[in-house]
Amino acid sequence: MIRELVPLVIRFAGLIAVQVVILNNVLVSGYINPFLYVLFILTLPVKFPRSAVLLLAFVSGLVIDMFTNTTGMHAAATVLMAYVRPAVLRFYAPRDGYDADAVPDISHFGFQWFLVYAATLVFVHHLALFFIEVFRFSGFISTLSRVLFSSVVTLALILITQFLFRKSTSVR
Amino acid sequence: MKNLFQFLWRNNYTIFFVLLEVLSISLVIRNNNFQNTSAFNSSNYLTGSVMEAISNVNEYIGLKTTNRYLASENARLHTLLSGNRDRAATGTAGNFVYTPCKVINNSVYRQANYLTLDKGSLDGIRAEMGVISSQGVVGIVKNVSPHFSTVMSLLHKDASISARFRKNNYFGPLSWDGKDPSYATLRDIARHVKISAGDTIVTTSYSSIFPTDIPIGIVASYEAAPGENFYAVRVTLSTDFRNLDYVYVINNILQQEQQELEAQTEEDDS
């Protein structure tokens, strides 16, 4: 149990640190802000208890909120993403189901599967986040375009991170 | 009763989800409505210290630009000083106290942008004080903790300050449309007012938060929708919010006296 927890904690701390120290200070063409930290929730093992995923999502969202003065916004968006994750996993499930130790990442399921899976959840997260942020539906198109552009940038960062750390996971 | 428990047990995942969502959303709403120092924002000591470390690095990188701003401000202050000696006899100046602060966290790309400063209530900073940089208006202090304070940036969808043309004193509310951090919109300027691109927009003397004549920006363009009696003026903000290192918090030591007098006058009226 402890041996499984240690890499989890390291990944959690690492992603939060990268998000807070680097990404929150980076602006891609004006108002696009990538949110790499959702990768932590994306790559939790398939059989990880669902309620524990929710709780972790809440905690990671709240930590990001503390650093960006957005109390609750990231928490709400990340919890929503964690909530739909089991349904998304079921929808994209391989024909003979998941193995007991399956982890939804590139090294286990390949590039194409991971791209579709990550894109779905990142879109859900960004959609919730940006609409909670403006708290209204006027200017729908402009908000939606922010959602789409930010999702693409976040997704690109997630894929790069996955490729960078692929070796260490496939050794296992 | 048994059925109820069975229902709760079967749907415990969804119920847990709803619980967490309600908690998050209530945090969002509470933070929007109240001016209390919440434990979950960057006035907090832990996050504040991390921000300070990050800001130290950023500050080093931006030293060159900062030096230029400081030099230009020095020049401006010297000019002011020489002018002030002649005006000192009138006794109008002197009710604003400036506290220099370092910006340790800043954002420009959200709909609700905040800054975090490295000074708080121990340095005499209180909520509702104005914040300016050497370039112009920055925002208004929102929350204060002993060592840090957060500032509602002018780049906040709910921020609105009273602004006027320097040349003719026509004034209106200035707010940000949430898109480009370089521009804001000045509304309620009557159609008969002669506007030209390049006009300077400054603070009014009507609010007790900012001193008068603090630069806000210059007119970029203006238009009136057909049938409207008022212009909407697009203003290029003079403060570069993407590059803020040092700001001044303004304490109007006569604010309370002014507000009390105004409140009393209104009371007498009714």
Side-chain angles (χ1 to χ4, degrees), chain B residues 95-96 98 162 164 166 169 202-215 250:
Chain B
N95 55 343
F96 290 101
Y98 294 69
S162 172
R164 68 179 177 88
R166 179 181 268 164
N169 285 345
V202 296
T203 54
T204 63
S205 49
Y206 307 135
S207 100
S208 51
I209 294 176
F210 292 106
T212 186
D213 274 336
I214 300 288
I250 304 170

Side-chain angles (χ1 to χ4, degrees), chain B residues 73-87:
Chain B
E73 179 165 35
N74 268 344
R76 193 176 64 83
L77 291 177
H78 277 300
T79 340
L80 263 179
L81 200 62
S82 53
N84 249 359
R85 283 195 195 107
D86 311 328
R87 280 218 320 253

Side-chain angles (χ1 to χ4, degrees), chain A residues 87-95 98 109 113 116-118 120-121:
Chain A
V88 173
L89 278 172
R90 221 175 302 133
F91 188 76
Y92 294 131
R95 208 170 301 143
Y98 292 100
F109 289 92
W113 183 91
V116 179
Y117 162 76
T120 313
L121 287 180

Side-chain angles (χ1 to χ4, degrees), chain A residues 43-118:
Chain A
T43 55
L44 284 174
V46 175
K47 295 279 148 57
F48 208 82
R50 295 186 305 175
S51 298
V53 177
L54 278 187
L55 197 63
L56 282 174
F58 183 69
V59 171
S60 60
L62 213 55
V63 172
I64 298 294
D65 281 328
M66 286 167 77
F67 281 102
T68 52
N69 284 333
T70 52
T71 325
M73 290 182 196
H74 284 278
T78 316
V79 166
L80 178 70
M81 187 189 77
Y83 178 71
V84 298
R85 195 182 92 121
V88 173
L89 278 172
R90 221 175 302 133
F91 188 76
Y92 294 131
R95 208 170 301 143
D96 40 357
Y98 292 100
D99 294 336
D101 61 344
V103 176
D105 61 11
I106 283 192
S107 33
H108 284 73
F109 289 92
F111 178 77
Q112 207 178 348
W113 183 91
F114 183 76
L115 178 69
V116 179
Y117 162 76

Side-chain angles (χ1 to χ4, degrees), chain A:
Chain A
M1 188 64 187
I2 299 290
R3 279 173 61 153
E4 285 166 18
L5 275 181
V6 170
L8 211 66
V9 171
I10 292 176
R11 206 164 53 216
F12 180 79
L15 281 172
I16 298 274
V18 168
Q19 181 70 47
V20 170
V21 176
I22 303 173
L23 294 180
N24 280 354
N25 297 303
V26 171
L27 268 157
V28 186
S29 87
Y31 56 171
I32 295 172
N33 189 205
F35 296 110
L36 180 64
Y37 75 96
V38 298
L39 179 62
F40 174 72
I41 302 298
L42 290 185
T43 55
L44 284 174
V46 175
K47 295 279 148 57
F48 208 82
R50 295 186 305 175
S51 298
V53 177
L54 278 187
L55 197 63
L56 282 174
F58 183 69
V59 171
S60 60
L62 213 55
V63 172
I64 298 294
D65 281 328
M66 286 167 77
F67 281 102
T68 52
N69 284 333
T70 52
T71 325
M73 290 182 196
H74 284 278
T78 316
V79 166
L80 178 70
M81 187 189 77
Y83 178 71
V84 298
R85 195 182 92 121
V88 173
L89 278 172
R90 221 175 302 133
F91 188 76
Y92 294 131
R95 208 170 301 143
D96 40 357
Y98 292 100
D99 294 336
D101 61 344
V103 176
D105 61 11
I106 283 192
S107 33
H108 284 73
F109 289 92
F111 178 77
Q112 207 178 348
W113 183 91
F114 183 76
L115 178 69
V116 179
Y117 162 76
T120 313
L121 287 180
V122 166
F123 181 72
V124 169
H125 174 269
H126 284 34
L127 196 69
L129 180 68
F130 286 110
F131 276 100
I132 293 170
E133 187 180 65
V134 296
F135 233 83
R136 58 174 178 225
F137 283 97
S138 64
F140 183 82
I141 299 298
S142 118
T143 310
L144 197 63
S145 70
R146 290 181 63 201
V147 171
L148 287 175
F149 285 125
S150 293
S151 298
V152 170
V153 178
T154 302
L155 209 55
L157 276 174
I158 283 179
L159 293 175
I160 291 169
T161 315
Q162 281 276 292
F163 275 117
L164 282 179
F165 291 97
R166 191 160 61 149
K167 226 173 226 163
S168 59
T169 46
S170 57
V171 166
R172 196 151 28 109

